[in-house]
C-alpha cells in the first residue's frame, strides 16, 4: 500500500472538513441545504476516490473541480454565504460556513498540489525504481 503525500492527505482531510461544515449548516437550518446537502455526498465520494486510487495523480483534480463548483455556487448562487461569513453573531451558521468554505478552498489548493509531479516522479510518470504507471 502506498502512503499518501502530504498534499494528498491535506486534500482528503479538507474535503472531510467541508463535509462537517455542510452538516453544521444543515443542523443550523440553512434553507438551501434542506433536506440534505448533496455536497456532502459528492465530497465524500471524491475523498474516497483519492484514498482508493492513491497512485493516480489526476484523481485529486476531481475534488478540485467539485470544490470550485461548490465555492462558486455558494458565493454566486446563494448570497446567504457572504452574509453568514460576515455575521459571527450567529455562531453555528458562521462556524459552519467557515468550515465549509475553508475546507473547499484548502481542498482545491491541496488537490492541485497533489496532482503535480513530485521529486520522486519525473514528468513521464515513472518513479525512482523505474516503475511505470
Amino acid at each position: 500500500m502506498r502512503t499518501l503525500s502530504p498534499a494528498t492527505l491535506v486534500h482528503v482531510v479538507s474535503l472531510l472538513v467541508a463535509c462537517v461544515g455542510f452538516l453544521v449548516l444543515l443542523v443550523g437550518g440553512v434553507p438551501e441545504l434542506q433536506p440534505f446537502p448533496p455536497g456532502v455526498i459528492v465530497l465524500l465520494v471524491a475523498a474516497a476516490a483519492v484514498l482508493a486510487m492513491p497512485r493516480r495523480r489526476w484523481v485529486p483534480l476531481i475534488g478540485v473541480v467539485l470544490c470550485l463548483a461548490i465555492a462558486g455556487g455558494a458565493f454566486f448562487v446563494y448570497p446567504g454565504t457572504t452574509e453568514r461569513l460576515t455575521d459571527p453573531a450567529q455562531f453555528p451558521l458562521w462556524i459552519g460556513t467557515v468550515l465549509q468554505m475553508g475546507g473547499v478552498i484548502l481542498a482545491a489548493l491541496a488537490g492541485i498540489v497533489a496532482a503535480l509531479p513530485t521529486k520522486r516522479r519525473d514528468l513521464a510518470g515513472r518513479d525512482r525504481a523505474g516503475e511505470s504507471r
Side-chain angles (χ1 to χ4, degrees):
M1 181 176 169
R2 182 173 178 241
T3 59
L4 299 176
S5 71
T8 304
L9 185 59
V10 169
H11 179 64
V12 170
V13 170
S14 299
L15 290 171
L16 298 177
V17 167
C19 288
V20 170
F22 269 112
L23 295 175
V24 170
L25 291 171
L26 176 67
V27 171
V30 174
E32 56 259 22
L33 298 179
Q34 302 298 331
F36 189 79
V40 172
I41 297 167
V42 297
L43 293 180
L44 287 176
V45 169
V50 171
L51 293 174
M53 296 181 276
R55 295 186 59 83
R56 305 287 185 217
R57 286 195 322 257
W58 59 267
V59 175
L61 295 177
I62 296 169
V64 170
V65 170
L66 292 172
C67 287
L68 293 175
I70 288 170
F75 287 108
F76 297 114
V77 177
Y78 300 111
T81 302
T82 305
E83 294 170 15
R84 288 191 302 269
L85 279 173
T86 57
D87 187 13
Q90 295 182 344
F91 188 74
L93 299 181
W94 179 79
I95 196 68
T97 306
V98 167
L99 289 171
Q100 177 195 33
M101 290 297 103
V104 296
I105 291 168
L106 184 58
L109 295 173
I112 291 169
V113 173
L116 295 174
T118 63
K119 293 178 184 177
R120 294 183 184 158
R121 290 175 257 153
D122 63 14
L123 295 176
R126 299 184 184 275
D127 54 29
R128 287 185 183 182
E131 297 175 4
S132 182
R133 294 191 178 243

